[in-house]
Amino acid sequence: MRSALFFAALAPLAIFTSAHAQTIGQNKDPNATQGYTLSVHSQLVVEAVTVKDKQGNSIDGLTANDFTLTEDGIPQKIRYCEHQTLPTTATPLPPSKPEDEDITIYRKLARTQLAAEPADSSHYKDRRLLALYFDMSAMPPGDQLRALEAAEKFIRTQMTPVDLVSILRYQGGSVDVLQDFSSDRNRLLSILQTMIVGEGQGNVDSVDDASSADTGAAFGQDDSEFNVFNTDRQLSALQTAATMLGALNEKKALIYFASGLRLNGVDNQAQLHATVDAAIRAGVSFWPIDARGLVASAPLGDATQGSPGNQGMYSGTAALANTSNFQQSQDTLFSLAGDTGGKALLDDNDLGHGILQAQHAITDYYLIEYYTTNTALDGRFRKIHVAVSHPADAKLDYRLGYYAGKEFAKFNTADKERQLEDALMLDDPITELTVAMEINYFQLNRAEYFVPIVVKIPGRELALAKKGGAERTLIDFVGEIKDIYGGNTVSNVRDNVNIKLSDETATELAHSPIEYDTGFTLLPGKYMIKFLARDDETGRIGTYQTTFTIPNLNKETTTVPTSSVVLSGQRVDLKDAVYEAMKGKDLAKATAANPLVVNGQKLIPSVTRVFSNGKELYIYLQGYEQAPGPMRPLVAYVTLFKDKAKVFESKPVAVTPAASGSVSPVPLAFQVALNALAPGEYQCQVSVLDPTTQKATFWQAPIRLTQPQPPPQP
């Protein structure tokens, strides 16, 4: 069973706008001279190859004729071969003394770009390229200071004459290049000192409206709602940095300063994959440094947070969760390094050691360039094999392959369908559109569960359809759910949503997200979902991939069995749906099975859990009575916490289910007015109690309240 609707989450029925298309090639003069265009496409592939003998010493003097290179088993002609001399025993520059330094504290740091090397220039010849990347969104002030001081120490005392250092910063939703690759120690130290002291631009409140400063950033996302509670933005920014470094052919090491990077259930695992693939394609290795250093905290946390205050303090659950969260935050750093050829520095107070590891890892290598004979932009992995004719026992270290580029915009209908299916199967996810998803589950009977899925896309990313001159736009959705253990596809979805555009909603679309929802019927188990959305006008594709578990509530004996909890900021009349995949009886049947539809109105789950404090917060879940005998009431209430203090608690409600077969659902619905609460981050807790059996279930999740946005000006 599947139903699909398309809603404008915060906007009226019409979602997009229209523009006049320019027609080219019509009404030609039949007597005009007809010209012909010859197009030639070529793809230059750059491979950095390290060649060493048995003793681990670099071998020099090789030429292109000494190398044999194949791509997917097909020999390739090497067009260029250059040896890069980078001795590991290079003597560091003389330590700079404070009295000799010319350091300037800038009022505002300039944003620049990474300049590509001109074809006739040897600016980066025999130079080691080190990019210092500071993720300010992932480090508290103390960790930021340690990271910046480690960078300063390296530049003052450990930088060698062959080193070129670049400084990048991720802050406020954008990647800023503060300094292109340079050996000017005074300039580099001035930037780091300014980052320690602070600059004017960094003190401005992070807003995302017409008043926002244009800082020339290479990456930016909607700061008001998307990816507030997950790491997608950090990984997307890291992908952007790797792509920018890809403009340079030489080996690059990106030293990533962060205080851990934890992927949890709501995060897009496809983004991690895409970030790693972008780094491999760009010839960038990640060298993450955990700026927290060696951490020895108390089992239940240090003094920076309050006591957990629940039974987990006594059972060991709280201490285990604390340790697991810390380890998971380091696991992602370890994966980024291992998958790109770098090494993570974890649990070490000498953060500068991580920079030295990256410095020593880039030694003599050969830069080999060739034009691949396979010019198809299919996004598939190309396997590379490199060999040398002599010496026969040489040890080679190089990139084993790369993902080809992808182009999905210029195809006919059949090609687009085939390419979308190929994109679903690609190991290299496409993340051109921002996609967020929420997955819930509700028990239908003792065997089956209804799983509604909501996908959200920022409207501003789809508004480009009008600029392309389309009077209507087509959005393609395709997804599949696989059993984790068996690998079998258990369900799938494929929809084409054709949406009319109007000028009246153009401004609203730029500030409102679009939501698409569908539903599946699944058995208990662990699944993986991969979902793609494509703007058919621009060819841009977004991918969301994650794992989820449908628990077997029949086996729940220690707590009250409940469904997942749905948080929502709005109810929408079913008549306001922009698109319906089902019609007539099928639609009525699917609607009746959806617990989020009541009296013709649908509760729209909030994917990002960001709410306006000028509206209502709707909370819905189901409890289940499975014991034989008369139906018993369940008692539930909602509590909001801010900074560990309770700021709101609803009145308890008692609901007795009506007997309905083997499973009796108990609908528990709440409506909370948010106008009395200040903007900020809160913890929302739902407590469900069974007075008869003395069982209880507690559910918590973070939410964010924002001030109501003024209506867009025409």
Side-chain angles (χ1 to χ4, degrees):
M1 178 186 65
R2 181 178 65 81
S3 62
L5 300 173
F6 199 87
F7 290 92
L10 298 174
L13 174 63
I15 298 182
F16 296 96
T17 58
S18 63
H20 297 291
Q22 181 182 5
T23 303
I24 300 176
Q26 296 183 6
N27 301 324
K28 289 184 179 179
D29 184 356
N31 298 321
T33 302
Q34 188 172 9
Y36 297 90
T37 302
L38 175 64
S39 298
V40 179
H41 299 279
S42 61
Q43 297 181 34
L44 178 66
V45 180
V46 180
E47 192 75 15
V49 182
T50 301
V51 184
K52 294 184 178 181
D53 58 21
K54 287 184 176 181
Q55 287 72 36
N57 301 317
S58 298
I59 300 176
D60 57 6
L62 300 178
T63 65
N65 295 329
D66 297 317
F67 288 92
T68 302
L69 188 148
T70 62
E71 181 178 293
D72 289 337
I74 301 175
Q76 306 291 323
K77 183 178 181 180
I78 298 176
R79 302 286 183 172
Y80 179 82
C81 178
E82 181 183 65
H83 183 249
Q84 300 282 334
T85 305
L86 298 170
T88 56
T89 58
T91 304
L93 294 169
S96 60
K97 300 178 181 179
E99 59 270 18
D100 298 333
E101 294 176 349
D102 183 16
I103 296 179
T104 303
I105 303 299
Y106 301 106
R107 185 180 65 85
K108 181 179 179 181
L109 290 173
R111 276 67 166 175
T112 182
Q113 299 291 332
L114 294 174
E117 181 181 10
D120 57 348
S121 172
S122 59
H123 179 63
Y124 297 122
K125 176 75 167 65
D126 297 334
R127 290 303 188 109
R128 183 182 292 113
L129 305 184
L130 304 174
L132 303 180
Y133 181 98
F134 299 91
D135 189 347
M136 296 304 194
S137 68
M139 291 189 290
D143 293 352
Q144 293 180 17
L145 186 60
R146 280 192 292 272
L148 293 170
E149 288 178 345
E152 283 189 331
K153 178 183 177 183
F154 171 79
I155 293 172
R156 281 194 173 100
T157 64
Q158 297 162 327
M159 190 172 172
T160 68
V162 300
D163 293 337
L164 293 180
V165 177
S166 174
I167 299 177
L168 296 88
R169 178 183 64 184
Y170 173 55
Q171 178 175 287
S174 65
V175 175
D176 301 320
V177 180
L178 304 181
Q179 176 59 50
D180 197 357
F181 286 102
S182 172
S183 59
D184 186 346
R185 292 199 288 182
N186 286 330
R187 171 64 178 168
L188 295 169
L189 290 172
S190 296
I191 293 175
L192 294 174
Q193 280 290 319
T194 303
M195 293 173 67
I196 293 176
V197 174
E199 55 169 335
Q201 182 66 41
N203 295 329
V204 177
D205 291 338
S206 177
V207 295
D208 191 8
D209 55 23
S211 68
S212 302
D214 184 4
T215 58
F219 166 83
Q221 282 189 340
D222 188 351
D223 192 44
S224 61
E225 181 171 1
F226 271 80
N227 300 313
V228 173
F229 300 117
N230 55 45
T231 58
D232 288 359
R233 298 182 68 182
Q234 295 165 255
L235 290 171
S236 296
L238 202 56
Q239 178 183 357
T240 298
T243 302
M244 293 181 348
L245 291 169
L248 307 179
N249 294 333
E250 288 75 12
K251 269 189 175 183
K252 287 85 59 178
L254 187 147
I255 295 95
Y256 176 43
F257 291 96
S259 297
L261 190 65
R262 180 179 174 227
L263 284 174
N264 36 54
V266 299
D267 292 315
N268 190 353
Q269 296 178 10
Q271 184 59 64
L272 175 62
H273 202 331
T275 301
V276 170
D277 295 341
I280 295 175
R281 188 161 44 242
V284 176
S285 57
F286 291 142
W287 296 79
I289 297 177
D290 191 344
R292 294 170 295 188
L294 181 59
V295 178
S297 61
L300 298 180
D302 53 27
T304 60
Q305 64 181 24
S307 171
N310 54 46
Q311 63 180 0
M313 294 174 58
Y314 310 104
S315 64
T317 306
L320 180 61
N322 233 15
T323 304
S324 298
N325 290 339
F326 182 82
Q327 291 176 345
Q328 289 173 9
S329 70
Q330 292 186 334
D331 288 345
T332 308
L333 299 181
F334 185 84
S335 297
L336 286 172
D339 293 342
T340 59
K343 185 177 181 180
L345 182 75
L346 310 174
D347 302 323
D348 194 327
N349 288 332
D350 184 7
L351 304 187
H353 183 58
I355 309 178
L356 290 177
Q357 284 183 329
Q359 181 191 45
H360 296 160
I362 301 181
T363 59
D364 287 18
Y365 65 92
Y366 288 88
L367 204 60
I368 297 176
E369 299 180 2
Y370 68 95
Y371 289 99
T372 176
T373 56
N374 186 358
T375 60
L377 298 176
D378 53 11
R380 297 187 181 277
F381 187 77
R382 310 282 174 79
K383 186 177 180 180
I384 294 176
H385 177 73
V386 182
V388 292
S389 57
H390 67 278
D393 57 353
K395 181 180 179 182
L396 277 65
D397 184 21
Y398 57 92
R399 179 183 60 171
L400 297 179
Y402 67 97
Y403 284 98
K406 299 178 287 288
E407 185 179 37
F408 294 90
K410 300 178 181 179
F411 296 104
N412 57 34
T413 303
D415 291 336
K416 288 181 178 180
E417 187 70 20
R418 185 184 67 254
Q419 293 294 338
L420 190 61
E421 294 173 356
D422 289 343
L424 183 65
M425 295 183 289
L426 283 178
D427 292 330
D428 182 19
I430 309 169
T431 55
E432 298 165 337
L433 288 179
T434 304
V435 179
M437 176 182 289
E438 177 167 335
I439 304 172
N440 295 292
Y441 59 87
F442 298 90
Q443 190 171 12
L444 296 175
N445 49 55
R446 291 190 64 84
E448 297 177 316
Y449 292 75
F450 177 69
V451 182
I453 294 174
V454 178
V455 178
K456 180 175 283 189
I457 304 171
R460 66 169 60 188
E461 299 190 14
L462 300 174
L464 296 175
K466 177 179 179 176
K467 297 178 182 179
E471 295 183 354
R472 59 176 62 224
T473 189
L474 180 68
I475 303 179
D476 296 315
F477 295 99
V478 61
E480 65 177 0
I481 297 178
K482 288 188 174 182
D483 183 355
I484 284 289
Y485 302 108
N488 301 318
T489 299
V490 296
S491 192
N492 52 54
V493 60
R494 178 70 175 92
D495 277 331
N496 302 92
V497 181
N498 201 344
I499 305 173
K500 294 181 180 180
L501 310 178
S502 68
D503 290 327
E504 296 179 357
T505 56
T507 305
E508 295 178 359
L509 179 62
H511 298 273
S512 303
I514 304 303
E515 286 194 350
Y516 166 88
D517 79 314
T518 185
F520 305 90
T521 301
L522 300 175
L523 301 176
K526 190 171 184 179
Y527 300 93
M528 187 276 291
I529 182 171
K530 188 173 184 180
F531 193 92
L532 272 70
R534 179 179 66 184
D535 184 347
D536 208 49
E537 294 295 332
T538 62
R540 301 173 70 208
I541 293 179
T543 307
Y544 191 94
Q545 182 174 337
T546 190
T547 58
F548 64 97
T549 301
I550 306 297
N552 188 347
L553 297 180
N554 301 324
K555 297 182 178 181
E556 183 57 62
T557 59
T558 59
T559 62
V560 178
T562 62
S563 68
S564 54
V565 178
V566 176
L567 303 181
S568 173
Q570 62 175 349
R571 290 184 180 275
V572 177
D573 196 303
L574 290 177
K575 297 178 182 178
D576 292 337
V578 178
Y579 170 82
E580 295 177 354
M582 291 184 173
K583 307 293 182 182
K585 295 182 179 180
D586 291 336
L587 177 62
K589 182 179 178 181
T591 301
N594 192 341
L596 300 181
V597 178
V598 179
N599 297 327
Q601 287 196 325
K602 181 177 178 61
L603 193 68
I604 304 298
S606 173
V607 177
T608 55
R609 294 173 179 167
V610 178
F611 305 94
S612 170
N613 63 353
K615 297 184 178 182
E616 305 284 327
L617 169 63
Y618 300 96
I619 303 172
Y620 181 82
L621 70 156
Q622 289 182 349
Y624 301 100
E625 292 277 7
Q626 297 175 336
M631 296 294 102
R632 308 181 303 274
L634 295 181
V635 178
Y637 59 92
V638 175
T639 311
L640 296 181
F641 298 91
K642 184 175 178 61
D643 299 328
K644 302 294 183 178
K646 182 169 64 177
V647 296
F648 171 83
E649 186 169 277
S650 68
K651 294 182 178 179
V653 297
V655 181
T656 302
S660 58
S662 58
V663 175
S664 301
V666 183
L668 302 170
F670 301 89
Q671 187 171 337
V672 179
L674 302 176
N675 52 7
L677 300 176
E681 295 188 7
Y682 294 80
Q683 283 288 332
C684 177
Q685 176 174 301
V686 179
S687 305
V688 182
L689 311 175
D690 186 344
T692 305
T693 61
Q694 299 296 306
K695 296 179 182 178
T697 292
F698 301 95
W699 175 90
Q700 272 195 353
I703 65 172
R704 172 173 289 186
L705 302 186
T706 61
Q707 292 181 344
Q709 297 294 324
Q713 298 297 323

